Amino acid sequence: ATYGRFGRMRLQYLKEHRRATYINLKTSGQLTQHLNEIDREANKMLRLLIEQMAQAQGITEQLKAEDQMAWVGAMNNIRNAVEEIVAGKTIYR
């Protein structure tokens, strides 16, 4: 099992809310592949959306250079918002 955080979140969700799907994936030997795929998809979406939101909000390398604390705060806010979006689209479906 090599899947990361999103894969683990998906596993937990399947066990708690999609029992039949979980059992089918496990008995067919496709569970790890499924979790790795969800993890890959979620991380790809996460990177893309963070980049797009940072661009849309004008959070630049210049800001990072001039006011690192403001940049870190803004990026953390974006990351938190994006993680919820990504989880909804990849894990909780």
Side-chain angles (χ1 to χ4, degrees), residues 1 24 30 50 66 71 74-75 77 79 83:
N24 288 340
Q30 294 179 316
I50 286 174
E66 292 172 359
W71 182 86
M75 290 303 289
N77 289 342
R79 184 175 195 75
E83 282 179 351

Side-chain angles (χ1 to χ4, degrees), residues 10-72:
R10 176 67 173 171
L11 177 61
Q12 196 64 36
Y13 176 74
L14 289 175
K15 284 181 174 178
E16 291 175 13
H17 303 282
R18 296 282 184 271
R19 198 83 188 136
T21 302
Y22 168 72
I23 291 166
N24 288 340
L25 286 166
K26 193 160 174 69
T27 55
S28 68
Q30 294 179 316
L31 183 60
T32 299
Q33 181 186 340
H34 172 77
L35 297 174
N36 279 324
E37 185 55 40
I38 291 290
D39 196 66
R40 253 193 316 276
E41 184 186 330
N43 279 303
K44 185 177 173 185
M45 192 183 296
L46 184 76
R47 284 190 301 272
L48 186 66
L49 288 175
I50 286 174
E51 193 179 302
Q52 288 174 347
M53 283 180 80
Q55 225 169 20
Q57 293 181 25
I59 299 162
T60 61
E61 288 299 311
Q62 186 181 345
L63 176 63
K64 187 178 182 180
E66 292 172 359
D67 188 347
Q68 195 164 14
M69 290 304 291
W71 182 86
V72 167

